[in-house]
């Protein structure tokens, strides 16, 4: 069964800085079938990216996704105060549609 | 407004059963694939189950396989999760989410783009 490993576990940055979050799969993700979600406490998760690099409706263009095969990246070009949250990658190419363990992006 | 509202959570003893429901509104429910995702206290998101728009294709996480049944009633715009033989480790906030297919010129991708606010399941003696 595939495993998604996200790094770092916690990322401490300041507003205005650039954030780079990694998601590594234990085997190749079929056809870049990978999504990214943002999750804030007390709220439902929010879809950011699907297909590894396509932004979901309403997602600001400071969020971008890249990668293929086993290595994927979510980049937030310039952090806004509302961006701080936990971020998850998820593969949906083959069941089970597992999530990574998450990266906690916190304010420094 | 597109909306998903979960219900049916509660406190249950180990070995007990619960049936979670998810009521959809604001979109054509029968046209969408659906999923259940859970989050245990202090833990990350865990995908639980998937069902196709007609119910003909179903998948489960290994952690719940054989104890959980996903189903849907398109006439009632509702999604269900029947949970049996519950364990302490099933304690979590359970979300239903719409699993939308996004088409591009050459391929399609998926994403969970509409979520409910969740219903809490607590398994404890």
């Amino acid at each position: 069964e595939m495993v998604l490993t996200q790094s770092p576990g916690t990322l401490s940055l300041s507003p205005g800085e650039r954030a780079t979050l990694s998601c590594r799969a234990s085997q190749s993700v079929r056809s870049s079938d990978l999504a990214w979600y943002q999750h804030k406490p007390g709220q439902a998760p929010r879809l950011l990216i699907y297909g590894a690099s396509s932004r979901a409706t309403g997602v600001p263009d400071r969020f971008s996704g890249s990668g293929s095969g086993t290595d994927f990246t979510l980049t937030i070009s310039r952090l806004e105060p509302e961006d701080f949250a936990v971020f998850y990658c998820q593969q949906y190419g083959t069941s089970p549609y597992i999530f990574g363990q998450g990266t906690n992006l916190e304010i420094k | 407004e597109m909306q998903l509202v979960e219900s049916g959570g509660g406190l249950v003893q180990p070995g007990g059963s619960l049936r979670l429901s998810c009521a959809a509104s604001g979109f054509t429910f029968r046209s969408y694939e659906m999923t259940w995702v859970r989050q245990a206290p202090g833990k990350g998101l865990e995908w639980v189950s998937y069902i196709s728009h007609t119910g003909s294709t179903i998948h489960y996480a290994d952690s719940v396989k054989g104890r959980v049944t996903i189903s849907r009633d398109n006439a009632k715009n509702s999604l269900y999760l029947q949970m049996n033989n519950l364990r302490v480790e099933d304690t979590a906030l359970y979300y239903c989410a719409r699993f939308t297919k996004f088409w591009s010129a050459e391929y399609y991708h998926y994403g969970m783009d509409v979520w409910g606010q969740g219903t809490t399941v607590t398994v404890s003696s």
Side-chain angles (χ1 to χ4, degrees):
Chain A
E1 182 176 302
M2 187 184 300
V3 174
L4 296 179
T5 302
Q6 293 187 238
S7 61
T10 299
L11 184 58
S12 299
L13 294 171
S14 300
E17 291 192 292
R18 180 185 185 89
T20 303
L21 287 67
S22 173
C23 176
R24 177 161 290 178
S26 59
Q27 53 192 272
S28 184
V29 175
R30 190 184 75 176
S31 302
S32 296
D33 287 339
L34 188 117
W36 289 92
Y37 297 86
Q38 178 188 47
H39 194 197
K40 297 179 181 179
Q43 297 184 19
R46 174 194 183 194
L47 174 66
L48 296 176
I49 301 287
Y50 60 87
S53 61
S54 296
R55 269 188 303 276
T57 302
V59 175
D61 60 8
R62 63 180 180 272
F63 290 89
S64 63
S66 63
S68 63
T70 60
D71 289 293
F72 298 88
T73 301
L74 175 70
T75 301
I76 311 172
S77 59
R78 188 176 171 83
L79 285 164
E80 298 286 342
E82 63 268 26
D83 295 340
F84 293 88
V86 180
F87 293 82
Y88 297 91
C89 59
Q90 185 208 19
Q91 75 83 23
Y92 51 83
T94 306
S95 178
Y97 302 151
I98 57 167
F99 288 93
Q101 84 280 15
T103 290
N104 181 26
L105 176 59
E106 64 177 25
I107 299 177
K108 188 173 182 179
Chain B
E1 179 191 3
M2 296 176 291
Q3 196 171 13
L4 295 170
V5 179
E6 302 93 337
S7 60
L11 174 64
V12 62
Q13 292 187 336
S17 298
L18 277 177
R19 188 194 196 206
L20 306 185
S21 299
C22 171
S25 59
F27 64 96
T28 306
F29 178 73
R30 65 179 180 273
S31 297
Y32 288 89
E33 297 156 79
M34 298 293 295
T35 62
W36 287 97
V37 174
R38 68 184 181 184
Q39 184 176 36
K43 303 293 186 182
L45 299 177
E46 180 186 13
W47 172 81
V48 174
S49 186
Y50 156 92
I51 188 167
S52 63
H53 56 285
T54 62
S56 60
T57 301
I58 285 172
H59 299 300
Y60 298 106
D62 288 346
S63 58
V64 301
K65 199 172 292 183
R67 302 186 298 117
V68 158
T69 302
I70 190 173
S71 62
R72 64 190 296 161
D73 185 336
N74 288 340
K76 294 183 177 180
N77 293 330
S78 293
L79 175 72
Y80 306 102
L81 191 69
Q82 176 67 44
M83 307 177 69
N84 300 324
N85 191 20
L86 282 160
R87 304 168 180 169
V88 171
E89 54 265 35
D90 294 319
T91 295
L93 180 63
Y94 284 74
Y95 295 101
C96 64
R98 191 177 78 172
F99 198 44
T100 295
K101 182 182 284 186
F102 299 99
W103 286 94
S104 66
E106 299 176 349
Y107 194 64
Y108 58 85
H109 289 285
Y110 282 94
M112 300 177 192
D113 65 337
V114 180
W115 295 70
Q117 286 302 308
T119 186
T120 299
V121 172
T122 303
V123 185
S124 175
S125 55

